[in-house]
Amino acid sequence: QVQLVESGGGLVQPGGSLRLSCTASETIFTIVTMGWYRQALGKQRELVATITNGGRTNYADSVKSRFTISRDNAKNAVYLQMSSLEPDDTAVYYCRADLFVRGYVYDNWGQGTQVTVSS
């Protein structure tokens, strides 16, 4: 298990930008994939973007060309640069880190950070 600490959420106007950060506690195990998910009020949690420890990225269609995920393996950190934000991006954003432990992958989640896009 790792502890995930997220930061960077807040209130922003439509068209604005925010950068989310997430840092995982130290671990002897390999963190294979890190990513961001979001859950809007009354909706299911959905994938926003993921990045492997090799740098391969995956994005939800709704955020492609607007959001960029990056990672610092040395710091066990993942970042989400969000631009051209829209009201539909309003949600609690959760960081996820998948650990590879003795042949199995275990997912770990942060507590979430609120992003509100509103004028």
Side-chain angles (χ1 to χ4, degrees), residues 38-46 87-92 94:
R38 67 187 182 187
Q39 187 167 17
L41 198 62
K43 296 186 177 180
Q44 290 188 333
R45 191 173 298 187
E46 62 178 5
D88 283 350
D89 295 317
T90 296
V92 177
Y94 295 92

Side-chain angles (χ1 to χ4, degrees), residues 15-68:
S17 299
L18 278 177
R19 184 174 187 253
L20 304 183
S21 300
C22 172
T23 302
S25 57
E26 286 191 23
T27 177
I28 62 173
F29 302 109
T30 300
I31 301 177
V32 290
T33 301
M34 299 187 80
W36 292 94
Y37 292 70
R38 67 187 182 187
Q39 187 167 17
L41 198 62
K43 296 186 177 180
Q44 290 188 333
R45 191 173 298 187
E46 62 178 5
L47 178 147
V48 176
T50 60
I51 184 168
T52 68
N53 54 357
R56 182 172 297 179
T57 59
N58 180 48
Y59 293 92
D61 288 342
S62 60
V63 306
K64 282 181 181 176
S65 78
R66 299 189 299 122
F67 292 8
T68 301

Side-chain angles (χ1 to χ4, degrees), residues 7 9 22 29 39 50-51 54 60 64 75 79 99 104 106 108 112:
S7 62
C22 172
F29 302 109
Q39 187 167 17
T50 60
I51 184 168
K64 282 181 181 176
K75 296 181 179 179
Y79 309 97
L99 263 65
Y104 294 91
Y106 296 91
N108 295 261

Side-chain angles (χ1 to χ4, degrees), residues 59-102:
Y59 293 92
D61 288 342
S62 60
V63 306
K64 282 181 181 176
S65 78
R66 299 189 299 122
F67 292 8
T68 301
I69 191 170
S70 60
R71 179 170 173 171
D72 186 335
N73 291 330
K75 296 181 179 179
N76 285 347
V78 64
Y79 309 97
L80 186 68
Q81 179 66 46
M82 305 185 292
S83 303
S84 301
L85 282 161
E86 304 167 354
D88 283 350
D89 295 317
T90 296
V92 177
Y93 283 69
Y94 295 92
C95 175
R96 170 177 167 168
D98 293 343
L99 263 65
F100 185 77
V101 181
R102 300 185 184 93

Side-chain angles (χ1 to χ4, degrees), residues 100-118:
F100 185 77
V101 181
R102 300 185 184 93
Y104 294 91
V105 177
Y106 296 91
D107 60 326
N108 295 261
W109 294 87
Q111 293 193 336
T113 184
Q114 177 71 46
V115 172
T116 302
V117 184
S118 175

